Amino acid sequence: MTFSFSLSKQFVFFILAMPFLVIHSVSSLNLTNEYLNHKCLFDQGKYSSGSKYEKNLNHAFHIMRDETFAETGFSHTSIGTPPDSVTVMLQCRGDTYGSKCHTCSDIALAGLRKRCPRNKGGLIWYDQCFLYISTIGEEIPYRTNYKDIFSMHNHNNVRGDVKNFTKRAMDFFSELTLKVEKTVHDGLGLIFYSAGEKKLGKNKLYAMVQCIGLTLDCKSCLTLSIKKLFENGNIKQGARVLGSNCDVRYELYPFLRS
């Protein structure tokens, strides 16, 4: 089974087989940390070994490793002045903290360096985290970036009453979106994340919504992404839409009685 991905109009491609798992709980669905996609920001140029930019980049990651980001799942660090300035942003999935978040950040950095060697800017998505590196400072909080959005779909269609499934799934996403913002760790940070399961006849529906920690308008980003999940009439048993601001996902699987 394969998935088709799209990253704006300029990036349409196919990825090697990464099947949605046959899962029986939220916890089992979230065990993997698959590589999902990446984008090299070629217009930001490249850096040389031993350059000031490389030193700033390494320093930014050193700071990030020492921060409490693993407790909230989010980190944002900016160092230096142009043309050697570096901004590093990491967002772990809302249920990925502590050592898992640290591990995913290490994997993401190694993955981006491998796929975008010596590029000053780039983005990379894994199942458990998202990493963004840039030499161009951006206004904070981040406005929604509509260019770097891509989708994943299970090839199996939903069976039965598709319109009813779509309505109930959209209603469930609306419930999750209303719960997406909560303060953690005595004001240390915000988690823009919500996930859950709902029984639909003989099946269960898992759904997840999340925004990065510095998104200007989380709910608008989620609304747009959720619409993309169901924008064609060919509704699938699982789908995910990711970008540099938010991430939405659903999976339909058989309900097993305990």
Side-chain angles (χ1 to χ4, degrees), residues 80 131 139 211 218 233:
L131 175 66
E139 184 179 352
C211 294
C218 176

Side-chain angles (χ1 to χ4, degrees), residues 150-196:
F150 71 100
S151 59
M152 307 168 59
H153 292 86
N154 185 311
H155 283 313
N156 296 321
N157 293 332
V158 168
R159 299 175 181 178
D161 191 337
V162 175
K163 288 186 178 180
N164 182 56
F165 167 77
T166 302
K167 182 182 183 304
R168 296 185 69 179
M170 292 282 281
D171 289 345
F172 189 38
F173 272 116
S174 295
E175 293 175 23
L176 294 177
T177 300
L178 290 174
K179 302 175 183 177
V180 77
E181 183 177 319
K182 58 182 179 181
T183 305
V184 295
H185 297 293
D186 297 323
L188 185 64
L190 288 173
I191 297 178
F192 295 93
Y193 169 83
S194 184

Side-chain angles (χ1 to χ4, degrees), residues 21-35:
L21 300 178
V22 177
I23 48 93
H24 308 299
S25 68
V26 172
S27 59
S28 62
L29 180 133
N30 289 329
L31 287 175
T32 64
N33 188 32
E34 299 281 357
Y35 159 78

Side-chain angles (χ1 to χ4, degrees), residues 57-219:
L57 179 62
N58 292 335
H59 185 41
F61 270 94
H62 178 74
I63 291 175
M64 187 183 75
R65 290 286 298 179
D66 288 342
E67 285 183 343
T68 56
F69 85 92
E71 298 177 26
T72 63
F74 177 76
S75 177
H76 179 278
T77 303
S78 293
I79 292 178
T81 57
D84 299 311
S85 58
V86 178
T87 295
V88 175
M89 180 182 68
L90 177 87
Q91 177 69 65
C92 287
R93 199 176 61 207
D95 59 354
T96 303
Y97 299 111
S99 61
K100 287 184 179 180
C101 188
H102 276 298
T103 298
C104 193
S105 68
D106 291 341
I107 292 172
L109 176 59
L112 191 60
R113 281 176 164 167
K114 177 182 177 181
R115 292 174 171 87
C116 303
R118 305 262 177 225
N119 283 100
K120 287 187 173 182
L123 308 88
I124 192 164
W125 292 264
Y126 283 82
D127 189 39
Q128 294 182 2
C129 66
F130 161 69
L131 175 66
Y132 169 71
I133 300 175
S134 176
T135 189
I136 300 173
E138 297 186 36
E139 184 179 352
I140 297 175
Y142 288 107
R143 296 184 182 277
T144 301
N145 178 351
Y146 296 103
K147 295 185 298 180
D148 301 321
I149 297 175
F150 71 100
S151 59
M152 307 168 59
H153 292 86
N154 185 311
H155 283 313
N156 296 321
N157 293 332
V158 168
R159 299 175 181 178
D161 191 337
V162 175
K163 288 186 178 180
N164 182 56
F165 167 77
T166 302
K167 182 182 183 304
R168 296 185 69 179
M170 292 282 281
D171 289 345
F172 189 38
F173 272 116
S174 295
E175 293 175 23
L176 294 177
T177 300
L178 290 174
K179 302 175 183 177
V180 77
E181 183 177 319
K182 58 182 179 181
T183 305
V184 295
H185 297 293
D186 297 323
L188 185 64
L190 288 173
I191 297 178
F192 295 93
Y193 169 83
S194 184
E197 292 176 308
K198 181 180 286 288
K199 187 175 181 294
L200 299 181
K202 296 181 180 180
N203 298 311
K204 266 193 176 183
L205 175 68
Y206 165 82
M208 179 202 79
V209 295
Q210 179 166 9
C211 294
I212 63 168
L214 291 175
T215 296
L216 179 63
D217 191 344
C218 176
K219 291 182 180 179

